[in-house]
């Protein structure tokens, strides 16, 4: 199905099925676009390493993983409420590659709901992970910017636009070290950033992209940097 056809279907579903869960069409949980059972059954990223967001099944909540203890990431904390799996993976793919507004709205709602109030009150600005202009033209869509703009309006926080200093090769197929090398000095951030900023992306894989952007934000004046993403790719799926 083409992207335009998917958008038509998204619009039709929204008009034809008001008051129904976006996942199973059951009656909605009050005030949310999902039912209670589907919400509870989503692949929540709990427990997770508070440093890098890596899923930590069976670990003590709030405990940093061995990798973060050996080599802490460039950002101070990661806030990633879901795992990139099951229904969430499907939503991300429709949002990222088909520009589905229905999928994007659901991911935005899940991110907003998955971040506690004290977390969303913390940043003074949001910085979306930027696409290179060539890639943005090819895709016709910048998913991190889409999310960050709407999240910023919800939280009443300003948006700071970073840019790609160079068009880096795709990160697919690269290991953690290769990803870091690929992204070295890849981002430019305007100077005079406030002290607390949150980086925004749709999916966090190894954290290399968010780490490189965090380094650029610190050079631009940020004292504390958090990495926010909707979903985290588990290690065994990378």
């Amino acid at each position: 199905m083409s992207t335009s056809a998917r958008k038509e279907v998204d619009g039709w579903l929204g008009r034809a099925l008001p008051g129904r869960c976006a996942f199973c069409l059951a009656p909605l949980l009050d005030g949310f676009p999902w039912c209670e059972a589907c919400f509870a059954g989503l692949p929540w990223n709990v427990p997770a390493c508070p440093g890098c967001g890596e899923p930590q099944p069976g670990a003590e909540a709030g405990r940093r993983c061995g990798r973060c203890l050996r080599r802490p990431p460039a950002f101070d904390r990661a806030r990633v409420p879901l795992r990139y799996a099951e229904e969430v993976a499907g939503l991300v793919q429709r949002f990222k590659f088909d520009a589905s507004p229905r999928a994007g709205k659901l991911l935005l709602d899940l991110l907003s709901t998955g971040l506690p109030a004290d977390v969303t009150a913390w940043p003074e600005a949001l910085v979306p992970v930027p696409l290179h202009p060539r890639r943005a033209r090819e895709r016709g869509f910048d998913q991190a910017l889409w999310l960050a703009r709407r999240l910023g309006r919800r939280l009443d926080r300003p948006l700071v636009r970073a840019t790609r200093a160079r068009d880096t090769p795709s990160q697919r197929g690269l290991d953690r070290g290769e990803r870091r090398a690929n992204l070295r000095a890849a981002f430019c951030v305007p100077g005079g950033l406030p002290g607390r900023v949150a980086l925004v992306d749709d999916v966090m894989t190894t954290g290399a992209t968010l780490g490189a952007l965090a380094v650029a934000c610190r050079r631009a004046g940020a004292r504390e940097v958090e990495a926010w993403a909707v979903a985290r790719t588990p290690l065994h799926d990378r």
Side-chain angles (χ1 to χ4, degrees), residues 79-91:
R79 313 283 190 179
V80 193
L82 292 152
R83 287 181 288 109
Y84 183 73
E86 304 165 19
E87 295 92 339
V88 172
L91 281 175

Side-chain angles (χ1 to χ4, degrees), residues 111-200:
L111 177 61
S112 299
T113 305
L115 296 175
D118 61 328
V119 171
T120 56
W122 177 85
E124 296 173 283
L126 304 181
V127 182
V129 173
L131 282 178
H132 188 272
R134 181 182 66 80
R135 289 181 185 249
R137 285 194 300 271
E138 289 173 352
R139 188 175 291 176
F141 178 63
D142 186 330
Q143 72 277 359
L145 178 60
W146 192 99
L147 285 171
R149 275 178 171 161
R150 288 154 181 80
L151 185 61
R153 287 198 288 266
R154 290 188 183 191
L155 304 182
D156 192 25
R157 294 293 185 274
L159 204 69
V160 176
R161 296 283 301 274
T163 57
R164 289 257 181 178
R166 53 191 176 84
D167 189 5
T168 56
S170 172
Q171 295 280 82
R172 292 180 187 177
L174 302 181
D175 64 23
R176 188 181 297 268
E178 290 168 337
R179 283 172 178 251
R180 282 197 298 264
N182 187 39
L183 289 162
R184 194 167 292 125
F187 298 110
C188 293
V189 179
L193 275 185
R196 303 189 307 272
V197 300
L199 315 181
V200 179

Side-chain angles (χ1 to χ4, degrees), residues 56-93:
Q56 299 284 298
E60 180 183 344
R63 189 169 190 168
R64 294 207 169 210
C65 68
R67 186 177 290 110
C68 280
L69 292 174
R70 291 190 302 271
R71 182 172 182 172
F75 42 83
D76 296 284
R77 290 166 295 276
R79 313 283 190 179
V80 193
L82 292 152
R83 287 181 288 109
Y84 183 73
E86 304 165 19
E87 295 92 339
V88 172
L91 281 175
V92 169
Q93 289 164 15

Side-chain angles (χ1 to χ4, degrees), residues 193-212:
L193 275 185
R196 303 189 307 272
V197 300
L199 315 181
V200 179
D201 207 355
D202 57 342
V203 176
M204 184 176 180
T205 303
T206 66
T209 300
L210 287 157

